[in-house]
Amino acid sequence: MASSAMTQPNTQPEARNTPMSLSAVDTQVLDFIHSPQDKDFNALALAVFAQQFELNLPYQRFCQARGQTPNTVTRWQDIPAVPTVAFKELDLACGSPEKIFLTSGTTRGQEKRGRHLVPDLALYHASALGHFTSCVLPDNRRLRTLALIPSPEARPQSSLTQMAEWIMTNLSAAGSTAFIDPQGVHIEAFADAVAQAQREGTPVCILAITSALVAFFDWCETREQQFALPGGSRIMDTGGNKGLRRPISRNGVLQSCWKYLKVAGYYCVNEYGMTEMASQFYDNVLYNRFRQSNEPRYKIGPAWVRTLVVDPETLEEVPPGQVGILRHFDLANSGSVMAIQTDDLGYTVGDGFEITGRAPGSEARGCALMLEEILQAEGA
């Protein structure tokens, strides 16, 4: 088991007011996210499961077919997990959605995109900003954000876009900008903003889908251009090799961040998330740097998430260090389904996990495909 119950530094963003629409269980989850210390994850996970069993009828039928109900399940590890593909076929929610997030297009077409119906955004808002702050802004700095992530106008139904918008609104300095909009990807304008930060000596926070960041590196290579961002600048990328026009290793990304931007590897944080989850995972490097830990790089989740690595055949938990498929339990998913069975391969390490790839036969998916979609729409 990869427990993600990391200690939360005192850098939580300002909380939203508790909406009147939240259930009593949702309110307990929101309280857990804001103050996870000394809270009982198992007890709250079982309460969330009971709520979802009562209100989410497709999930109720799934659980009944497996013979696993709130009357029989006593451990969070035994809460029935829904495969991500089910979000393509069913509306899995406990109420009417405040917002519907869609996965990126797949080879099955737009009509088969996964749909995550979120009855209330308060939990997603609290979870996304809380763990981002811990892992990317552990020094509690408010930096100008330069985003190679689609703007809300370009991708209004993207959960990543929603998160980036909240980060730029709630955690960033004035002048923060998204450089992907309905008109396309503006690499030259992004390069101009990087050059401005260099001239001013102002550290910045770059948020990027990995494919767009690599496109910027290629732009720099073609023009023999290199920049030197001020100390304290940092980079968060997400998506990995999916959708890339040329593959690049994680070390290759880190080396390019240094070569073209002079941002050291311990200020480069890779994010792993999915549309079906309200919480995200991040590399632990920057979090560890500010608590003077020399742990190796791996992914960590917030205190309100647990992850199991299970055997692809038996779906039983595998020993630490053995590769299996990742299964996440996210309390912030209280309004839909908290137990998510992914197609992602990985293994446990420390208080988290590392990702090794995708299960054979699984679809390419995720935010990494956004750039490819946008370029296709442009006819590039």
Side-chain angles (χ1 to χ4, degrees), residues 24-101:
V25 172
D26 293 342
T27 301
Q28 291 180 57
V29 172
L30 193 60
D31 180 60
F32 191 111
I33 292 172
H34 289 147
S35 303
Q37 295 81 10
D38 302 323
K39 297 286 181 21
D40 186 339
F41 180 90
N42 190 63
L44 189 49
L46 295 177
V48 169
F49 173 47
Q51 171 175 272
Q52 295 178 342
F53 184 86
E54 177 186 358
L55 301 176
N56 186 337
L57 297 185
Y59 182 58
Q60 182 189 87
R61 289 190 286 271
F62 171 73
C63 295
Q64 288 173 328
R66 296 169 59 97
Q68 294 170 294
T69 73
N71 291 328
T72 63
V73 173
T74 59
R75 306 186 315 148
W76 63 264
Q77 295 93 331
D78 298 326
I79 294 173
V82 170
T84 52
V85 68
F87 286 81
K88 298 177 186 292
E89 310 293 342
L90 300 168
D91 285 343
L92 295 162
C94 296
S96 300
E98 179 179 357
K99 189 156 187 176
I100 300 175
F101 295 113

Side-chain angles (χ1 to χ4, degrees), residues 298-335:
Y298 57 82
K299 296 286 184 299
I300 54 175
W304 49 94
V305 174
R306 297 288 188 275
T307 297
L308 293 180
V309 181
V310 301
D311 185 283
E313 297 294 332
T314 67
L315 298 182
E316 297 294 327
E317 186 175 1
V318 302
Q322 181 175 321
V323 173
I325 53 178
L326 303 181
R327 179 183 297 170
H328 305 301
F329 299 80
D330 183 5
L331 295 181
N333 263 28
S334 181

Side-chain angles (χ1 to χ4, degrees), residues 366-378:
C367 57
L369 297 176
M370 284 182 178
L371 183 64
E372 196 63 27
E373 287 181 11
I374 292 168
L375 294 177
Q376 286 178 356
E378 290 183 86

Side-chain angles (χ1 to χ4, degrees), residues 79-346:
I79 294 173
V82 170
T84 52
V85 68
F87 286 81
K88 298 177 186 292
E89 310 293 342
L90 300 168
D91 285 343
L92 295 162
C94 296
S96 300
E98 179 179 357
K99 189 156 187 176
I100 300 175
F101 295 113
L102 301 181
T103 60
S104 298
T106 71
T107 54
R108 298 183 66 188
Q110 298 294 315
E111 75 280 5
K112 286 299 180 183
R113 294 169 70 177
R115 293 158 46 89
H116 186 195
L117 283 65
V118 181
D120 196 301
L121 289 173
L123 298 182
Y124 181 33
H125 179 271
S127 177
L129 295 191
H131 198 45
F132 179 88
T133 300
S134 297
C135 295
V136 183
L137 303 171
D139 49 349
N140 210 24
R141 295 188 72 170
R142 187 173 282 263
L143 303 172
R144 183 188 305 162
T145 293
L146 309 180
L148 281 173
I149 286 176
S151 66
E153 294 76 20
R155 282 293 183 273
Q157 294 173 312
S158 161
S159 57
L160 176 66
T161 290
Q162 176 68 84
M163 184 179 77
E165 181 188 19
W166 283 334
I167 291 169
M168 295 171 74
T169 301
N170 293 269
L171 302 176
S172 302
S176 297
T177 306
F179 293 90
I180 301 178
D181 62 21
Q183 284 68 51
V185 185
H186 304 286
I187 294 293
E188 291 193 12
F190 175 78
D192 289 343
V194 169
Q196 179 184 353
Q198 178 178 326
R199 287 194 307 273
E200 295 175 349
T202 303
V204 295
C205 178
I206 293 174
L207 308 181
I209 49 178
T210 308
S211 51
L213 190 61
V214 172
F216 169 69
F217 296 151
D218 291 344
W219 182 92
C220 291
E221 181 67 24
T222 299
R223 290 159 180 77
E224 299 182 348
Q225 185 98 35
Q226 294 181 0
F227 301 91
L229 284 173
S233 296
R234 59 207 68 189
I235 299 170
M236 185 219 80
D237 77 297
T238 184
N241 269 329
K242 293 175 290 185
L244 280 174
R245 294 190 169 186
R246 67 173 177 90
I248 184 171
S249 67
R250 177 53 24 193
N251 282 339
V253 172
L254 297 178
Q255 290 169 3
S256 294
C257 288
W258 178 253
K259 177 178 180 180
Y260 297 111
L261 294 167
K262 287 295 180 289
V263 176
Y266 45 82
Y267 271 87
C268 298
V269 177
N270 181 252
E271 185 253 19
Y272 160 69
M274 58 184 61
T275 302
E276 298 86 352
M277 284 183 65
S279 299
Q280 299 77 40
F281 305 87
Y282 295 93
D283 285 346
N284 58 357
V285 289
L286 200 48
Y287 170 78
N288 282 340
R289 181 170 178 80
F290 284 90
R291 65 187 190 116
Q292 299 182 330
S293 169
N294 293 320
E295 278 191 301
R297 180 188 294 263
Y298 57 82
K299 296 286 184 299
I300 54 175
W304 49 94
V305 174
R306 297 288 188 275
T307 297
L308 293 180
V309 181
V310 301
D311 185 283
E313 297 294 332
T314 67
L315 298 182
E316 297 294 327
E317 186 175 1
V318 302
Q322 181 175 321
V323 173
I325 53 178
L326 303 181
R327 179 183 297 170
H328 305 301
F329 299 80
D330 183 5
L331 295 181
N333 263 28
S334 181
S336 54
V337 177
M338 70 166 292
I340 305 294
Q341 181 62 63
T342 76
D343 292 322
D344 297 319
L345 294 170

